[in-house]
Amino acid sequence: MRSRISTASTTTGCTSSAGRERSRASLIRMSPSPGRVIGIAVGALAILGIGVYGPAMLLGPLPDVQVRVDTAQASAPATTSVVLPADDASAVAFIEDDGQAALVAASADDEAAPIGGAAKLVTALVVLDTLPLTADDDGPDIRIGPEDYTDYLRYSAEGSRTVQVSPGDSWTERDVVRAVLLASSNNHADTLARWAFGSVDAYVTTANEWLDEQGLTSTSVADATGLSGDNVGTATELTRLAGLALAEPTLAAMLEGDSGAPTPSDDRRIPDAIAHLGDEGIRAISRSFTDEAAITFVWTAELRSGDERRTMVGAMTGVDDYDTLDPAVIAAVEGMQAASEPIEVIAAGASYGEVTSAWGDRAQLIATAGRTDAAFGAVAEDASVDVEPFTTSPVGRQVGTVTVAIGEREVSSALELDRAITDPGPIWRLTHPGLLIGAFLDGNA
């Protein structure tokens, strides 16, 4: 018994040892070699490259084109400036569609100074603002009293402008306004102020309040006539007063030689004493001389450019004599006429720059429409080119605008490409990962 047990035990031990050896050999055969590990890694990366990198590069966003502005084409177009006398206060403006005077140029010494008879423009405007006239109405009758007649005698003796009146006369409001505007009658200015406001002092208070309401902060009046040196203003604000006078239907009709509806008041003869330089196409709005103000001249003229017509106004104060005034006014009108001629601001078909893609495609930025404008003395700025970011585009597509500012106005035209910017294709995409990744990051910034 002992012998069999010993044999069995020995046999079992041998069998277990052999099994362990076989298991160890099997495990060795199943373990991958280093070469195989590297192969598996390379294969995995290849699969990832094909599955991720390729689609990312082929379908990812492209970088935006680069824009280069043609500085020569975009440089400011030449404009004509309006030259005004250097020694006297002067200003010129053109009348906008809303009736306001838009300043074009003013002399350097455009400071508040006596304005003489131009103060009568304030008188007429303030009275008509308070007691307006309609086209078919001459307004109430104004009876000439002793104070009105005394004014006539006093101003006549002083050598100031007057229109004769007699005690007991009856003038319509329209006729008195005509005498103030066209004849620059001092006695009628006082009569109109007293009739409308009760006294000249009451008129002065109301008139200065009206000037403040109009934003004419440099202009103030001390009487209804302008004879006092305390009636002051600037040439610039006188052009605005001229614009207001032209916008007031009653005054505009009088300046055009039409006093209104054909009523008996038209029979009253009132001289057009302010008329000056009419042969030059100039319509005087106010013309006066005082010791304090010297010559003050306010005028209007029509500017023509082809079929277009524009109205200008101008003012000069402190001029010593008509030999100085007349050529200066004519030169200012001629300068405004030259400045009103349209200039080519944007040239149709001109290239205002170039776009370049990262893969080498190029296209010119072409203005689709030409633009002209009258500068009226304003300085045109360099063209501003604005291009929306893009990567590819067909030919002829609008990609931006070109804009030129002239003073407070702007003109613009669309910009289109003269050739297509196309997709660079798969080879370029696959070989320029840095640019594509950068474009992706920029788009998600």
Side-chain angles (χ1 to χ4, degrees), residues 135 174 181-182 245-246 248-261:
R174 185 183 298 277
L181 179 67
L182 300 179
L246 295 177
E248 210 295 319
T250 299
L251 299 181
M254 293 176 184
L255 291 169
E256 291 175 0
D258 179 7
S259 62

Side-chain angles (χ1 to χ4, degrees), residues 289-350:
F289 176 87
T290 65
D291 291 339
E292 293 85 355
I295 297 174
T296 299
F297 189 56
V298 183
W299 78 92
T300 182
E302 292 293 320
L303 308 176
R304 298 176 181 272
S305 178
D307 295 332
E308 297 292 326
R309 296 179 62 184
R310 301 292 294 270
T311 300
M312 69 154 290
V313 289
M316 292 187 181
T317 64
V319 185
D320 292 332
D321 51 57
Y322 284 97
D323 288 340
T324 302
L325 176 76
D326 292 358
V329 171
I330 293 171
V333 173
E334 291 176 347
M336 284 288 282
Q337 177 64 61
S340 70
E341 295 295 333
I343 59 173
E344 185 177 55
V345 179
I346 297 175

Side-chain angles (χ1 to χ4, degrees), residues 194-219:
R194 279 194 297 266
W195 170 77
F197 299 100
S199 68
V200 172
D201 287 343
Y203 155 75
V204 168
T205 299
T206 302
N208 284 314
E209 291 174 352
W210 180 87
L211 287 166
D212 287 340
E213 292 171 359
Q214 302 302 315
L216 299 170
T217 56
S218 296
T219 303

Side-chain angles (χ1 to χ4, degrees), residues 251-404:
L251 299 181
M254 293 176 184
L255 291 169
E256 291 175 0
D258 179 7
S259 62
T263 65
S265 70
D266 292 343
D267 295 332
R268 191 178 291 279
R269 296 186 178 277
I270 296 173
D272 189 354
I274 64 170
H276 188 63
L277 296 177
D279 292 342
E280 301 292 338
I282 295 167
R283 168 67 252 193
I285 298 177
S286 175
R287 179 172 68 92
S288 65
F289 176 87
T290 65
D291 291 339
E292 293 85 355
I295 297 174
T296 299
F297 189 56
V298 183
W299 78 92
T300 182
E302 292 293 320
L303 308 176
R304 298 176 181 272
S305 178
D307 295 332
E308 297 292 326
R309 296 179 62 184
R310 301 292 294 270
T311 300
M312 69 154 290
V313 289
M316 292 187 181
T317 64
V319 185
D320 292 332
D321 51 57
Y322 284 97
D323 288 340
T324 302
L325 176 76
D326 292 358
V329 171
I330 293 171
V333 173
E334 291 176 347
M336 284 288 282
Q337 177 64 61
S340 70
E341 295 295 333
I343 59 173
E344 185 177 55
V345 179
I346 297 175
S351 171
Y352 282 85
E354 182 182 63
V355 296
T356 306
S357 70
W359 51 96
D361 282 359
R362 297 176 181 272
Q364 299 295 310
L365 295 167
I366 305 300
T368 61
R371 294 288 185 264
T372 60
D373 194 23
F376 281 102
V379 177
E381 299 179 8
D382 289 350
S384 172
V385 174
D386 182 26
V387 177
E388 292 293 328
F390 72 93
T391 57
T392 63
S393 174
V395 64
R397 172 192 167 193
Q398 180 180 337
V399 294
T401 57
V402 55
T403 303
V404 178

Side-chain angles (χ1 to χ4, degrees), residues 396-419:
R397 172 192 167 193
Q398 180 180 337
V399 294
T401 57
V402 55
T403 303
V404 178
I406 303 181
E408 297 181 355
R409 307 184 308 283
E410 287 187 347
V411 293
S412 61
S413 171
L415 292 172
E416 66 180 21
L417 301 180
D418 69 338
R419 60 173 59 91

